[in-house]
Amino acid sequence: MSNIPETGRTSRVTIRLVILQILVFSLLLTLGGRLWYLQIRNGDEYTEKAASNHIQQVVTPAVRGAILDARGVPIADNETRLVVSASRTELLKQKDDGKAVLTRLAAVLAMPPADVIAKVRLCDAKTPQPCWNGSPYQPIPITDKATTQQALQIMERREDFPGVTAEPTAVRRYPAPSKANAAQVLGYLSPVTDDEITSSQKNGTPLLRSDQVGRSGLERQYDAALRGTAGVTRYEVDNLGRVIGRAGDTPAEPGANLVTSIDSRVQAVAEKELNDAMVEARKTFDTVTGTNYKADSGAVTVMDVHTGQVIAMASAPTYDPNAWVGGISPASYKQLTGKDSNYPLLNRAIQGLSAPGSTFKVISTSAAVNAGYPLDGAYPCTSSMTIGGRLFKNFEGESFGAINLGKALEISCDTVFYGLSYNQWLADGGTKPKNPKDFFYKTAHQFGLGAKTGIDLPGEVKGRVPDRQWKQAYYEANVDYWCREGKTNKQDYATQIARENCVDGNVMRAGDSVNFAIGQGDTLVTPVQMARIYSALANGGTLYQPTIGKAIVSADGKTVKPIAPKATGKLPDSAETLKYINQATAGVITSGTAAWRFAGWPQDKIQLHAKTGTAEVDGKQTTSWLTTYTKDYAIVMTISQGGTGSGGSGPAIRKIYEAMYGIQANGSIDNKKALLPTPETKLPKFTDDGSVVRAASAVTTFAPSSGAPSVPAGGPVLAALTPGRDDKLLLGRRYLS
């Protein structure tokens, strides 16, 4: 007889049903607990979040502040352009990732389809320019040169161009007043990246995906002040995304304006004269190489000696900063970053390193005096010296007998400074020093070399003073390579040097010291460092931190934050030594190495001081250096592979001074033609609406923008046309986030 119950249940089935009931009860209990947590415990919080899902934000980008020269002339400002952009997010929703849409767009814009498609690629290590280095969720600009007709075609055929917009945007422009380019000083903008957005949220200055940020120059240095704060308008929307009301707004705050010490007129002259000097150098025959000078790069800096403020700063080769506006083209990007163009993005005034040549001798003069050598002592200026078995020649083998330090500066006698440095090297113990004084190296540091000047531009390099500490560090970094090369069977000069350095590359040799005394060897400086030094010689010994920013002015002109000059050190010279050096450098103009370039200069009216330098560079032609100053200004120019100091740079510097002071061909001074006879100390005046009251000589008028075009709640619309100005049609813009 069967033991199965009439119900058909076994004990195993009963256990399974119990377990199932427990699971169901547990799930119901969990669900109930979760509902209690969401509806009762955190009900208010989630009610608020649900309400926020019905709010959409319209972001109005802030108008970027202008960069003005010392007279209030804009050297970087904004203009409204029709910008065509594509949303990568929307394009990727298409079956072909938006290729057909972009191809149709290219036809409307009269652009090659490949160029348009390339613009929406995301930048990475393997993707060449053009590509997009901003946020992948931000509309990507295709062109900022769209015509009204092109914009209308896109707007009227929205179904053919999903994700594509044509809208008015405040676009950066660099108007080049007086033909002053100032590209490396101003810098450029590019879209913000996701990493920058993330990091900005941590430091309390959040960036928006629509932001453009400064990448170099003043645009980067003062980016936070120039950028302003974007406005946000909040709209209530229904579940279909339709606007049903406004939930409040925060107006955009335009960025502040930056007033600089740059005088655009002087800047234009400096750029022109630097370029002309390089062109002329390329016509000049170099007897050493048997070819014309290459003059491949150069820089010039004009500085106010009383404050360290930069009046003009030019670097060559240069470029048009407008090339970055609206996204840079492949050809322009290749031109700016390629070796063939010699890297025009570099600001050689603060990043160009070179041996200073004989312009360094003012430092060696101070070092000699500090070491106890008398200014008016008798020092042999022979045609050459033999030190450590090596022959060190004077420039062109000249010999002037026994002369004092002033005359040595005036005629730039190398052997005088060789002798001084060699004697001091011996006094310090030669190759086996005991507590060396190192006056020459110490004095170079006291003059500010081997350190950044602190100029308000990003990317400055500090140069190099090859003292004992540097020698040791350099030896430790390279000794393995030297020893490995020295073991080879090669007998070339480089291998011989490697063998020597393997043994005692950290030893300060006599040759190192004598080369240092005339600004050669491993010494490296920048033009702005030398401008700072010669400014200090002019002002009585004060080393100022160079600055370009002069004041930050709010968009309405009511709040002005001056950027005060900052003294950061003193030259290690007595008043007597400074006076002596000043007399010697004035002699360079009247009877020294620069006299042939400054014949007829009105020295009795405007006393000019100078020091020439012709720096030797291994494997290249000589670098031209000319450092000069008056009672108000210091001008320093350098031209790589440009010949001698006075020969390559002399005429250009003279013409810059003539333009600034109004000096005529006959030596007379015409104050009416003088661009800047004395430094500008006052700031431009601003009216109640934030516009600038400028000098009568200024041509254009600057008035700050109050913000982006206003947009109705319904989205992009066509604005009314002004009769006769159909080409100025504006399309409203909004950003949804």
Side-chain angles (χ1 to χ4, degrees):
M1 186 173 179
S2 174
N3 294 324
I4 299 176
E6 294 181 2
T7 59
R9 294 184 182 178
T10 64
S11 58
R12 181 177 298 178
V13 171
T14 301
I15 292 172
R16 289 178 178 177
L17 288 173
V18 171
I19 292 174
L20 181 61
Q21 290 171 351
I22 293 173
L23 288 174
V24 171
F25 180 76
S26 298
L27 289 173
L28 290 173
L29 185 63
T30 301
L31 180 60
R34 183 62 178 167
L35 288 172
W36 175 86
Y37 179 82
L38 293 175
Q39 294 184 2
I40 299 176
R41 173 67 183 274
N42 281 19
D44 293 342
E45 176 185 348
Y46 286 99
T47 299
E48 182 179 347
K49 287 186 176 181
S52 68
N53 287 335
H54 295 287
I55 302 295
Q56 287 289 347
Q57 295 187 143
V58 177
V59 178
T60 304
V63 175
R64 193 172 181 86
I67 301 176
L68 312 173
D69 83 348
R71 299 179 303 136
V73 179
I75 50 181
D77 59 7
N78 308 291
E79 65 179 352
T80 301
R81 295 187 188 178
L82 281 172
V83 176
V84 174
S85 303
S87 169
R88 181 178 171 83
T89 303
E90 292 298 320
L91 292 175
L92 292 178
K93 294 178 181 179
Q94 309 295 314
K95 292 182 179 180
D96 60 353
D97 293 335
K99 185 176 180 180
V101 174
L102 295 175
T103 301
R104 287 194 294 272
L105 179 61
V108 172
L109 299 177
M111 294 174 63
D115 289 356
V116 174
I117 293 171
K119 288 209 173 195
V120 300
R121 299 182 302 181
L122 299 182
C123 292
D124 57 33
K126 298 180 180 179
T127 304
Q129 288 282 347
C131 58
W132 177 247
N133 68 343
S135 168
Y137 305 105
Q138 178 184 341
I140 301 172
I142 304 299
T143 180
D144 64 352
K145 300 179 177 63
T147 65
T148 303
Q149 289 73 21
Q150 291 170 338
L152 285 172
Q153 287 186 61
I154 295 169
M155 295 295 291
E156 291 174 351
R157 296 163 52 197
R158 299 299 295 269
E159 69 281 359
D160 291 336
F161 301 103
V164 178
T165 57
E167 303 161 339
T169 305
V171 175
R172 203 60 162 169
R173 70 162 187 154
Y174 302 94
S178 303
K179 298 183 179 180
N181 190 4
Q184 293 87 354
V185 173
L186 293 171
Y188 60 92
L189 307 177
S190 72
V192 66
T193 65
D194 280 346
D195 289 342
E196 287 171 330
I197 292 174
T198 301
S199 62
S200 71
Q201 292 169 345
K202 296 177 181 178
N203 60 28
T205 56
L207 292 167
L208 298 171
R209 297 193 186 280
S210 57
D211 281 334
Q212 295 253 328
V213 295
R215 294 302 180 193
S216 68
L218 295 173
E219 294 280 27
R220 177 178 172 184
Q221 186 73 24
Y222 293 96
D223 181 71
L226 291 166
R227 193 177 344 112
T229 305
V232 178
T233 301
R234 299 169 183 84
Y235 292 102
E236 295 181 10
V237 297
D238 60 17
N239 59 348
L240 297 178
R242 294 174 298 194
V243 175
I244 58 177
R246 177 174 289 195
D249 59 77
T250 303
E253 295 181 9
N257 302 312
L258 175 67
V259 178
T260 71
S261 55
I262 296 292
D263 187 296
S264 56
R265 302 166 303 173
V266 178
Q267 177 73 26
V269 173
E271 290 174 4
K272 177 182 183 301
E273 296 306 331
L274 173 62
N275 180 72
D276 289 353
M278 293 173 64
V279 171
E280 192 62 31
R282 296 181 193 123
K283 301 176 183 177
T284 306
F285 187 73
D286 178 12
T287 58
V288 176
T289 61
T291 61
N292 286 4
Y293 287 106
K294 296 180 180 179
D296 53 2
S297 63
V300 59
T301 299
V302 182
M303 186 175 288
D304 178 349
V305 304
H306 307 294
T307 61
Q309 292 173 332
V310 175
I311 310 300
M313 177 180 282
S315 177
T318 188
Y319 66 97
D320 181 2
N322 289 295
W324 293 93
V325 176
I328 192 166
S329 69
S332 295
Y333 186 82
K334 182 178 180 180
Q335 172 70 17
L336 295 183
T337 58
K339 183 178 179 180
D340 292 343
S341 59
N342 202 9
Y343 311 106
L345 291 179
L346 286 177
N347 184 348
R348 286 172 166 82
I350 65 170
Q351 297 172 313
L353 290 170
S354 169
S358 292
T359 62
F360 187 85
K361 289 174 182 174
V362 295
I363 300 172
S364 294
T365 299
S366 298
V369 173
N370 293 336
Y373 296 91
L375 288 166
D376 287 320
Y379 305 100
C381 179
T382 57
S383 61
S384 63
M385 289 181 67
T386 300
I387 299 174
R390 180 183 169 189
L391 188 66
F392 290 82
K393 295 182 179 180
N394 198 14
F395 185 69
E396 295 184 346
E398 296 174 315
S399 177
F400 292 91
I403 59 176
N404 61 24
L405 289 178
K407 191 66 175 178
L409 280 175
E410 185 180 311
I411 64 173
S412 202
C413 180
D414 290 338
T415 49
V416 165
F417 294 97
Y418 287 151
L420 290 168
S421 181
Y422 181 60
N423 290 338
Q424 191 56 42
W425 178 79
L426 291 174
D428 283 337
T431 57
K432 298 179 180 179
K434 295 181 179 179
N435 301 316
K437 300 294 184 181
D438 285 338
F439 280 107
F440 283 79
Y441 299 101
K442 179 181 178 181
T443 302
H445 284 295
Q446 291 172 324
F447 270 69
L449 296 183
K452 296 179 181 180
T453 66
I455 189 171
D456 51 346
L457 286 175
E460 182 188 12
V461 297
K462 65 180 183 179
R464 182 167 68 207
V465 174
D467 53 17
R468 297 181 194 275
Q469 291 76 17
W470 177 83
K471 287 278 287 185
Q472 182 62 36
Y474 191 66
Y475 173 78
E476 292 172 0
N478 292 279
V479 62
D480 292 341
Y481 168 77
W482 287 331
C483 293
R484 187 168 59 251
E485 286 295 301
K487 292 178 181 178
T488 65
N489 294 324
K490 294 185 291 185
Q491 298 300 319
D492 57 276
Y493 178 74
T495 305
Q496 293 175 16
I497 294 298
R499 292 191 185 105
E500 293 178 12
N501 286 338
C502 174
V503 177
D504 58 359
N506 58 342
V507 174
M508 186 67 73
R509 305 185 185 99
D512 297 325
S513 291
V514 298
N515 268 328
F516 181 71
I518 65 164
Q520 291 288 169
D522 293 310
T523 310
L524 293 175
V525 302
T526 64
V528 75
Q529 287 176 324
M530 300 308 288
R532 181 176 183 239
I533 287 171
Y534 279 82
S535 291
L537 291 174
N539 68 32
T542 301
L543 288 164
Y544 283 98
Q545 177 178 315
T547 53
I548 299 178
K550 204 170 181 179
I552 296 174
V553 183
S554 61
D556 59 9
K558 296 178 181 179
T559 304
V560 179
K561 296 180 180 179
I563 301 171
K566 184 179 180 181
T568 55
K570 294 284 290 186
L571 297 183
D573 292 325
S574 66
E576 178 188 5
T577 301
L578 288 174
K579 181 179 179 181
Y580 189 90
I581 291 175
N582 284 334
Q583 291 173 342
T585 52
V588 173
I589 293 293
T590 57
S591 56
T593 53
W596 69 293
R597 286 300 198 189
F598 288 88
W601 178 265
Q603 191 76 341
D604 57 331
K605 300 181 182 70
I606 301 172
Q607 190 173 71
L608 182 59
H609 307 256
K611 185 69 198 79
T612 58
T614 306
E616 297 180 2
V617 183
D618 185 36
K620 293 187 176 182
Q621 297 167 310
T622 56
T623 297
S624 170
W625 277 94
L626 185 56
T627 49
T628 67
Y629 60 95
T630 64
K631 66 180 183 65
D632 288 317
Y633 302 109
I635 301 182
V636 171
M637 181 176 287
T638 181
I639 302 175
S640 171
Q641 304 195 91
T644 64
S646 56
S649 302
I653 283 187
R654 177 169 184 159
K655 290 177 182 177
I656 296 172
Y657 277 122
E658 287 174 344
M660 293 175 71
Y661 285 114
I663 300 173
Q664 305 304 296
N666 60 4
S668 64
I669 298 176
D670 187 342
N671 291 325
K672 293 182 179 180
K673 294 183 178 180
L675 295 181
L676 202 64
T678 57
E680 178 62 65
T681 57
K682 297 181 180 179
L683 292 174
K685 293 182 179 180
F686 291 82
T687 63
D688 291 340
D689 65 355
S691 59
V692 182
V693 179
R694 300 227 309 277
S697 58
V699 178
T700 59
T701 301
F702 166 71
S705 300
S706 58
S710 59
V711 184
V717 295
L718 294 182
L721 291 175
T722 301
R725 294 183 59 193
D726 288 0
D727 59 326
K728 299 298 182 182
L729 173 67
L730 296 181
L731 302 176
R733 179 169 196 171
R734 75 174 184 176
Y735 296 91
L736 291 180
S737 64

